[in-house]
Amino acid sequence: MLSSMILGRYIPGDSVIHKMDPRSKIIMTVLFMAIVFMANNTLTYAALILFVLFVLALAKLNPIFVIKGLKIVFVLLIFTFLMHLFLTKGGTVLIDAGWFTIESEGIVRGVFIGTRLVMLVVITTIMTLTTSPISLTDAIEKMAHPLKKIKVPVHEIAMMMSISLRFIPTLMDETDKIIKAQSSRGSTFMTGKVKDRIKALLPIIIPLFVSAFQRAEDMAIAMEVRGYTGGEGRTSFRVLKWTFKDTLGIIFVILFGVLVWWLRT
Amino acid sequence: MNILIDDVSVTYQPKTPFQYHALKNISTEFRTGKFYGIVGQTGSGKSTLVQLLNGLILPTTGTVKIDDLELKRRTKYKMIHEVRKYIGIVFQFPEHQLFEETVLKDVMFGPMNMGVSEKDAQTRALHYLNELHVDPALYEKSPFDLSGGQMRKVALAGILAMEPKVLILDEPTAGLDPSSHKETMELFKRLREELKLTIILVTHDMNDVFEYSDEVRILEAGRIVESGPTEDILTDQKLLERYSLNLPDVVRLSHDLIRKGHTIDKIPKSIDEFIVEWRLRDA
Ligand SMILES: Nc1ncnc2c1ncn2[C@@H]1O[C@H](COP(=O)(O)OP(=O)(O)OP(=O)(O)O)[C@@H](O)[C@H]1O
Ligand SMILES: [Mg+2]
């Protein structure tokens, strides 16, 4: 159930997209998001879809796998579509049932906004699927560096982010283990009345918290004994390297933006 | 209880890039009252195999039969719950499963989930805590105030209080010092004799397998590649080398001495036993 979810997951690989600098990937993603909001007719939306499929191919990701992994998002998608279907008025009236009408503009808007949503989710998913969480936070730290001038604790925030990201898989494993241990003891949090199910969560949550705090404490001690005192003067083990393909990628996205601008009505 | 595994395969995360065939067409049997050792390289599927036995993982194909209870791909939760009454698992670091306010309540958690009355659960809890030599002064304390070793005993009592017929141990001695290690293993041996348990031990410690088990199953890359009596398999150096496993220390020592011309009729079960016999011989 949880295992097929790919939101926020990273799959190591060797595609061009994997090898790009995380900073350029963030910039390209943001640019693409802006472009998504420029699209306003069939042609531009079609261009967006083609572009995303092209990027998926470059990243050597199977579109079917990505779509399947984003099942949860589709609930949101259907909701958006239905909202537009019933609430947007204009065009010809297709169905008139007295207390509600469905008009052609509603369908068009529903499809467009739905596509927009999917494109936004898929492109950010491509970014996280192809970039390790650690390099993402590295990139964010580098890019937010100027904010230090106005006393934003950039390094500390980035450190917190990378520690949290680092522990997500560990905690998932831990949860899995504890669920298994308690299930073996006959704990039934999958069946029964809602009240019973909530009660059955305690045997899972309590050990999880205990071990999370234990880990946090161990981590703090380990950092302290190794002389961690914050970001001042720290160098990085993984050095981010901006290459020609990063520049090229950004130019390509900008050109695509120009194309969409030209095609929109 | 006899356990029969019939042509079982397990695939993790099917139809994703993470897809992994952890067990491939496994068939084997575990019989009442015996002590089994399961060995194999890391990642060979040992934990997956034992989790099949109490429905924590269901077979992707094939059947697990526990007497007349069956576990299959789409077995209903009710049946799985039934199976868990008879098959208890002690995981690595079992102390991580403690959560109740007091030690006594924590031990009562399992039996009460299985429909045992509060009064009976308490009787059982007291019995097994006593059996494991947990100091009665600790019964009303929070389990989180205990030492690591005490926590582990309480967790173990929590499983024994469910009075399973089959006890599965997945690396139960990981992270213990040598004397606690010995104590824990002796405890399992004693429990087995007193309660007539079937024991299935997953471990990397070949000495333990040789000393305590009757039969061995060797796993490699999701397949059972050898199965048979412990004294046959764990004394066969060629065979063990094929699966990158070591000979038990006492077997290695005995083989060396035999090669040097000493006669050893029956290889002792452990180094300790060996020393005792060797000294008797000199006397
Ligand atoms: N949830 C999961 N998703 C995908 N693969 C998994 C999952 N759990 C286990 N595996 C894989 O299945 C294989 C068998 O795992 P298992 O835990 O049974 O090995 P093991 O023999 O117990 O190893 P160890 O001696 O390290 O405990 C491993 O290669 C592991 O990576
Ligand atoms: Mg294991």
Side-chain angles (χ1 to χ4, degrees):
Chain A
M1 170 193 63
L2 273 177
S3 58
S4 63
M5 256 283 287
I6 58 166
L7 267 183
R9 262 173 99 166
Y10 166 58
I11 305 179
D14 62 350
S15 73
V16 197
I17 306 279
H18 281 86
K19 286 183 189 142
M20 286 175 113
D21 189 302
R23 286 170 294 183
S24 70
K25 280 190 260 189
I26 294 177
I27 295 172
M28 287 189 291
T29 306
V30 173
L31 282 175
F32 183 79
M33 287 176 157
I35 297 171
V36 168
F37 285 98
M38 297 190 326
N40 65 354
N41 59 18
T42 320
L43 211 55
T44 42
Y45 276 108
L48 289 183
I49 294 175
L50 282 178
F51 183 85
V52 166
L53 286 176
F54 176 66
V55 179
L56 276 170
L58 274 185
K60 296 191 190 158
L61 290 168
N62 182 349
I64 308 282
F65 161 71
V66 174
I67 298 288
K68 268 195 179 157
L70 295 174
K71 265 183 210 151
I72 293 178
V73 178
F74 286 91
V75 178
L76 197 67
L77 177 70
I78 290 168
F79 182 70
T80 326
F81 180 74
L82 291 179
M83 286 271 290
H84 280 284
L85 192 63
F86 290 116
L87 299 180
T88 309
K89 303 295 168 210
T92 49
V93 178
L94 300 174
I95 297 174
D96 189 350
W99 53 280
F100 78 86
T101 57
I102 291 180
E103 303 179 9
S104 63
E105 194 62 21
I107 294 187
V108 173
R109 293 289 296 164
V111 170
F112 280 2
I113 302 298
T115 314
R116 184 179 279 183
L117 193 70
V118 174
M119 292 303 111
L120 289 175
V121 173
V122 171
I123 204 77
T124 29
T125 304
I126 296 176
M127 177 173 80
T128 52
L129 279 177
T130 59
T131 320
S132 78
I134 298 290
S135 33
L136 265 185
T137 44
D138 274 358
I140 291 170
E141 182 175 358
K142 282 266 150 48
M143 291 168 76
H145 199 76
L147 292 179
K148 266 203 165 146
K149 296 241 162 54
I150 54 165
K151 298 238 160 33
V152 178
V154 173
H155 169 79
E156 281 71 18
I157 293 173
M159 182 57 102
M160 270 161 58
M161 273 176 65
S162 51
I163 290 177
S164 325
L165 288 170
R166 151 75 186 72
F167 277 109
I168 287 173
T170 318
L171 285 179
M172 297 266 270
D173 280 358
E174 194 97 6
T175 314
D176 192 53
K177 268 188 207 145
I178 293 171
I179 288 179
K180 280 182 172 166
Q182 305 299 30
S183 307
S184 305
R185 294 214 278 166
S187 192
T188 54
F189 58 99
M190 295 285 256
T191 54
K193 295 194 217 80
V194 175
K195 190 175 133 257
D196 295 341
R197 286 198 210 188
I198 291 173
K199 241 176 99 186
L201 282 178
L202 282 183
I204 292 158
I205 291 170
I206 293 173
L208 200 60
F209 267 81
V210 170
S211 83
F213 280 118
Q214 187 62 50
R215 271 178 207 288
E217 204 173 308
D218 291 350
M219 177 99 184
I221 292 173
M223 284 170 77
E224 200 151 327
V225 296
R226 280 186 271 176
Y228 176 79
T229 53
E232 254 359 276
R234 265 171 83 82
T235 54
S236 187
F237 173 63
R238 290 168 300 270
V239 181
L240 300 179
K241 246 171 63 197
W242 190 278
T243 59
F244 181 60
K245 63 177 173 299
D246 295 301
T247 317
L248 205 65
I250 289 179
I251 292 174
F252 180 67
V253 177
I254 292 174
L255 286 178
F256 176 70
V258 172
L259 177 74
V260 171
W261 184 260
W262 180 62
L263 289 175
R264 80 195 287 262
T265 43
Chain B
M1 297 208 120
N2 289 320
I3 299 176
L4 193 76
I5 298 180
D6 185 16
D7 201 24
V8 167
S9 300
V10 172
T11 306
Y12 283 117
Q13 311 199 22
K15 300 192 196 104
T16 71
F18 304 102
Q19 167 167 311
Y20 191 87
H21 300 289
L23 292 179
K24 299 162 192 159
N25 302 90
I26 281 200
S27 295
T28 190
E29 202 178 3
F30 299 105
R31 301 182 146 278
T32 314
K34 285 203 164 190
F35 196 129
Y36 293 87
I38 297 185
V39 293
Q41 295 260 293
T42 201
S44 55
K46 304 182 294 295
S47 300
T48 310
L49 175 63
V50 293
Q51 286 174 31
L52 270 174
L53 304 183
N54 82 340
L56 287 173
I57 296 174
L58 290 176
T60 309
T61 61
T63 322
V64 177
K65 282 203 194 89
I66 293 130
D67 279 354
D68 47 8
L69 304 173
E70 281 196 0
L71 293 175
K72 285 185 169 173
R73 188 180 151 84
R74 294 200 187 282
T75 298
K76 292 271 182 322
Y77 182 76
K78 239 186 156 152
M79 172 67 91
I80 299 174
H81 194 67
E82 191 66 21
V83 168
R84 289 182 184 155
K85 284 185 188 166
Y86 304 111
I87 308 216
I89 296 199
V90 178
F91 287 96
Q92 209 174 351
F93 303 112
E95 54 273 28
H96 290 172
Q97 72 196 34
L98 301 174
F99 74 98
E100 275 283 13
E101 287 159 63
T102 69
V103 164
L104 194 62
K105 275 192 188 167
D106 206 287
V107 178
M108 287 162 64
F109 177 70
M112 283 176 66
N113 280 332
M114 290 308 177
V116 174
S117 74
E118 187 163 352
K119 194 163 146 283
D120 291 348
Q122 179 155 1
T123 315
R124 282 194 196 182
L126 292 171
H127 176 74
Y128 288 100
L129 282 168
N130 184 47
E131 188 86 0
L132 297 183
H133 308 305
V134 177
D135 184 353
L138 301 176
Y139 293 178
E140 292 301 324
K141 276 197 161 183
S142 157
F144 300 111
D145 290 341
L146 309 184
S147 79
Q150 290 166 333
M151 279 165 113
R152 197 169 278 209
K153 282 186 180 172
V154 171
L156 196 54
I159 306 219
L160 292 175
M162 295 170 70
E163 307 201 321
K165 297 231 161 52
V166 180
L167 187 62
I168 297 172
L169 309 162
D170 194 347
E171 306 192 38
T173 53
L176 289 185
D177 62 82
S179 81
S180 309
H181 177 128
K182 179 86 188 162
E183 194 188 336
T184 313
M185 289 309 301
E186 287 297 327
L187 171 73
F188 293 139
K189 187 174 158 184
R190 182 162 61 90
L191 289 171
R192 176 203 179 195
E193 283 153 13
E194 282 171 17
L195 307 173
K196 306 265 175 300
L197 291 175
T198 308
I199 294 196
I200 301 176
L201 169 71
V202 174
T203 184
H204 289 276
D205 190 325
M206 301 301 277
N207 296 330
D208 281 348
V209 178
F210 192 68
E211 182 169 357
Y212 298 102
S213 74
D214 307 313
E215 285 204 20
V216 189
R217 306 277 181 270
I218 300 182
L219 260 78
E220 193 191 52
R223 292 201 166 82
I224 292 186
V225 286
E226 294 291 339
S227 82
T230 304
E231 58 264 36
D232 296 350
I233 293 185
L234 290 207
T235 51
D236 188 336
Q237 182 166 5
K238 284 248 163 55
L239 182 150
L240 290 180
E241 268 172 6
R242 205 177 314 143
Y243 307 114
S244 322
L245 296 168
N246 296 322
L247 275 179
D249 293 339
V250 67
V251 176
R252 207 158 27 140
L253 178 64
S254 304
H255 282 182
D256 283 357
L257 288 171
I258 290 169
R259 220 171 292 135
K260 288 225 159 98
H262 295 274
T263 47
I264 294 174
D265 305 326
K266 190 172 181 303
I267 299 178
K269 287 275 173 201
S270 66
I271 290 282
D272 286 344
E273 206 174 295
F274 184 97
I275 294 172
V276 173
E277 284 180 21
W278 195 258
R279 282 184 180 157
L280 280 177
R281 178 189 300 217
D282 276 352

